[in-house]
Each structure stands twice: as C-alpha cells, then as structure tokens.
Amino acid sequence: MKRSRFSEEQIIGILRQAEAGIRVVDLCRKHGISDATFYKWRAKYGGMDVSDAMRLRRLEEENARLRKMVAEQALDISILKDVLSKNF
C-alpha cells in the first residue's frame, strides 16, 4: 500500500489549521492536496492528537501482521489436508 507523503503529525497540523478558521480550499492549495484527500483525512484523523494517530498506525501495522499470519496458517492447513487426503 502506498504511504502518504505526509506524516500523521503533518496531517493533524493541517486539520488543526482548518479548525482554526482557514478555508479548506486555501489549505488544499497551499499543501498540494485535493479536497477529497482533506475530507478523507478529516474522517480518519478528526479529533485525534498526534499520540492517538501514532497509536492507530501501530495497531494497523500489528493487525496487518496478524492477518498475514492467519492467512499463512490457513494455507498450511489446506496444504496438509490435501496431502493427507491423497495418501489414503
């Protein structure tokens, strides 16, 4: 998955500027992002602190790692079942 060129700290800073009263159009032009990107960030990071965003990223990484482990185990189980069914 492609990583954003903005860190969580920068994203939250941009969102805070919008909360302070700067127009969304001006922010988007200044930082080189689209309106859709801004609103997607607001849906995901709205109301978060930097520490919350970093914790969210760590949890997402751990979740991805665990999903990969489960998928590998399911594949191993499937292969073992196929091998056992062919031997008898």
Side-chain angles (χ1 to χ4, degrees), residues 64-81:
R65 184 180 54 83
L66 292 173
R67 284 179 187 259
K68 183 178 177 183
M69 285 175 47
V70 168
E72 289 173 354
Q73 287 179 346
L75 183 62
D76 290 343
I77 290 170
S78 174
I79 291 171
L80 289 174
K81 283 183 181 180

Side-chain angles (χ1 to χ4, degrees), residues 33-71:
I33 59 173
S34 68
D35 291 345
T37 300
F38 175 82
Y39 290 116
K40 187 168 60 169
W41 285 351
R42 191 171 74 177
K44 185 173 183 179
Y45 297 108
M48 284 189 184
D49 291 332
V50 174
S51 61
D52 294 336
M54 294 179 85
R55 183 170 182 265
L56 174 67
R57 182 172 42 122
R58 280 193 310 255
L59 289 174
E60 287 174 344
E61 289 171 355
E62 181 182 5
N63 191 19
R65 184 180 54 83
L66 292 173
R67 284 179 187 259
K68 183 178 177 183
M69 285 175 47
V70 168

Side-chain angles (χ1 to χ4, degrees), residues 1-64:
M1 187 165 101
K2 183 179 176 188
R3 292 295 300 170
S4 173
R5 65 180 178 156
F6 295 98
S7 67
E8 284 87 7
E9 296 88 5
Q10 292 171 324
I11 292 170
I12 291 173
I14 292 169
L15 293 175
R16 292 253 169 92
Q17 290 176 357
E19 290 173 2
I22 299 175
R23 292 182 3 179
V24 173
V25 175
D26 296 335
L27 278 175
C28 292
R29 187 176 303 120
K30 177 181 175 185
H31 296 287
I33 59 173
S34 68
D35 291 345
T37 300
F38 175 82
Y39 290 116
K40 187 168 60 169
W41 285 351
R42 191 171 74 177
K44 185 173 183 179
Y45 297 108
M48 284 189 184
D49 291 332
V50 174
S51 61
D52 294 336
M54 294 179 85
R55 183 170 182 265
L56 174 67
R57 182 172 42 122
R58 280 193 310 255
L59 289 174
E60 287 174 344
E61 289 171 355
E62 181 182 5
N63 191 19

